[in-house]
Amino acid sequence: LRFLAGLVLGSVAIATRLFPDLAEPADNPEYSRQWIRAAGPDVFPRGRTRFSGYRGGCDDKAFEAYVSSGLGDIWWPQYPVLNGDVAGCIDLVQRHNLTVVDISNYVPGDTDVCDGSAPASGGVCEYHLPPATHDLLLSRLGDRWTGMDNGEQDGRYVSRYAGQMLGGGSASRMEQMFNFMRFFQRMTDDLGSRMMGLNSLYFTHYFARTGLYTGLAAETAQGLPNAQLFYAFLRGAVKQFASLIWGNVSIYNRFGFKTCTVGACSADGTSLSLMKRLMMAQLMYGVS
C-alpha cells in the first residue's frame, strides 16, 4: 500500500509519501554473517501475518481441532512437550502442517529439575535443551522451528540481578553492558542458541545484535513501557540486525488477567478494546 497525501502548513502545501514496505532480513548484509537466521517467506510470507491460537500439549486430536477452528497454524508450546516422544511429536506437527515457535517457560536460577516432578511440576524451570533434542528439531523441522524463548528475562535481569553485579559500587556503562551480555550468553548456551525474544523492556537491540534471534517481540499491555515505543524499538532492532517481528498482546495488566468464555469476558486484565488496538498496531508494523 502506497499513497500520497497533502500536508498543509499555513499557506504552504508539502507532498508527503507513506512508504510502509516491510524490511526483508535477507537484504541486510548482517543476514549472511549470522549463524542463526530469520525464516524466509516460505515460512512467514511477507505482508501476510500468521496467527497462533494454541499453547497446549502435543496431541493429535487437539491439533486437529485447532487447525479446524481456523484460529491459526502456529503452535506456541512450553518446554514440557520436549520431555516425551519428541520424534513422534514432530510427526504430528508435520502432519498438521504447523510451525513451532518460541518454546517457553525457561527461568534462570530456578530449579533445573524439569522432568515434570516437584518442585517445578511442569511449570517454570531452568530448562536445559539437550543437544540431541536441538539437533532433532532442527533437522526435522528446519525453519519451521524458530527456537527457544527468551521470555521477559530482560525485565527479570534488571529487577533481580543487575544490582548484584555492581559489587557495592557503581559500574560503568560498559561494565553494565558486559554484565548484561554475559548473563544472556549463559541463557542462550542453556537453550541451544536458537532463540526468539519476548521482551518486557527496551533491550531488543542487544539481543538482535548477537545474531542468535530469529524473531523479537514485546509483552505489550501489561502496564510496562508504552506499547508504541515498544514497537518502535522492535522495528528498529529487526531492521538493523536482520530479524523479524512477531506479535504478542498480553491478557495481563496491573489488575489481573483476562478470561473469556463463549458468552463473556472478565473485567480484569487487558481490555478487549486495547487488545484490538494493539493487534492493529502490530499488523501495521509488519509482524510475521
Side-chain angles (χ1 to χ4, degrees), residues 25 75 77 121 135 142 146-147 188 243 245 266 272:
W75 181 35
S121 302
D135 294 346
T146 60
T188 54
S243 189
I245 298 178
S266 68
L272 296 181

Side-chain angles (χ1 to χ4, degrees), residues 23 36 47 59-60 104 110 132 141 154 168 182 202 209 235 277:
I36 306 298
D59 180 82
D60 190 24
S104 62
D110 210 308
L141 294 176
D154 51 351
R182 279 192 291 266
Y202 300 142
R209 72 187 293 273
R235 178 75 168 147
R277 289 171 182 270

Side-chain angles (χ1 to χ4, degrees), residues 3-190:
F3 61 90
L4 289 171
L7 177 64
V8 179
L9 298 177
S11 60
V12 180
I14 302 173
T16 59
R17 180 185 295 271
L18 300 183
F19 192 73
D21 280 5
L22 305 179
E24 172 52 53
D27 293 340
N28 189 322
E30 293 286 343
Y31 185 82
S32 61
R33 303 177 186 134
Q34 295 171 350
W35 184 253
I36 306 298
R37 297 174 181 171
D42 57 324
V43 177
F44 295 111
R46 308 309 190 232
R48 182 173 71 84
T49 299
R50 298 177 65 185
F51 288 84
S52 175
Y54 180 64
R55 300 204 65 188
C58 190
D59 180 82
D60 190 24
K61 291 184 178 179
F63 282 164
E64 183 176 356
Y66 171 45
V67 172
S68 299
S69 72
L71 292 174
D73 56 2
I74 301 288
W75 181 35
W76 183 10
Q78 293 84 39
Y79 74 84
V81 302
L82 302 178
N83 289 335
D85 179 9
V86 178
C89 182
I90 293 173
D91 289 339
L92 294 179
V93 167
Q94 293 176 325
R95 182 186 308 165
H96 294 283
N97 196 28
L98 299 173
T99 296
V100 183
V101 303
D102 196 54
I103 302 177
S104 62
N105 276 23
Y106 170 100
V107 172
D110 210 308
T111 176
D112 60 359
V113 180
C114 305
D115 58 5
S117 61
S121 302
V124 295
C125 184
E126 188 180 282
Y127 176 78
H128 295 188
L129 180 67
T133 302
H134 170 280
D135 294 346
L136 181 61
L137 288 165
L138 193 57
S139 64
R140 293 281 305 278
L141 294 176
D143 282 345
R144 293 189 179 275
W145 170 53
T146 60
M148 305 297 287
D149 175 53
N150 172 0
E152 302 179 81
Q153 298 307 320
D154 51 351
R156 182 171 281 105
Y157 172 85
V158 168
S159 64
R160 298 187 181 181
Y161 294 99
Q164 300 177 30
M165 296 184 176
L166 297 180
S170 177
S172 69
R173 294 293 297 272
M174 184 67 73
E175 289 173 318
Q176 291 170 14
M177 186 193 74
F178 284 143
N179 286 338
F180 182 89
M181 299 307 294
R182 279 192 291 266
F183 180 90
F184 284 96
Q185 181 177 345
R186 158 71 188 279
M187 178 180 185
T188 54
D189 287 347
D190 287 348

